[in-house]
Amino acid sequence: MKNKRMKIARVECDLSQEQLAEKVGVTRQTISMIETGNYNPSLNLTITICNVLNKTLNDLFWGE
């Protein structure tokens, strides 16, 4: 399942995949795989992404 909410939040923060990856300490490929639904990130990584994008876990990863 694609994570369109994360991609939208990233774009709203005016961050490229590479910039977000650098901020959270992973590779750009990891961010791409999360957004395309090909990687299930750890809870620690999801929390870090949420903090960088100023979103909650519900906003980006849970619900719907």
Side-chain angles (χ1 to χ4, degrees), residues 17-47:
Q17 287 182 343
E18 188 170 341
Q19 290 168 323
L20 177 58
E22 187 175 308
K23 288 180 180 287
V24 301
V26 297
T27 65
R28 183 206 56 81
Q29 290 84 355
T30 299
I31 299 299
S32 175
M33 288 175 21
I34 294 168
E35 289 182 355
T36 59
N38 294 319
Y39 180 76
N40 189 12
S42 69
L43 183 57
N44 286 337
L45 179 53
T46 60
I47 290 169

Side-chain angles (χ1 to χ4, degrees), residues 6 24 31 34 45-53 60-61:
M6 185 176 124
V24 301
I31 299 299
I34 294 168
L45 179 53
T46 60
I47 290 169
T48 303
I49 290 169
C50 288
N51 288 336
V52 169
L53 297 177
L60 299 182
F61 296 100

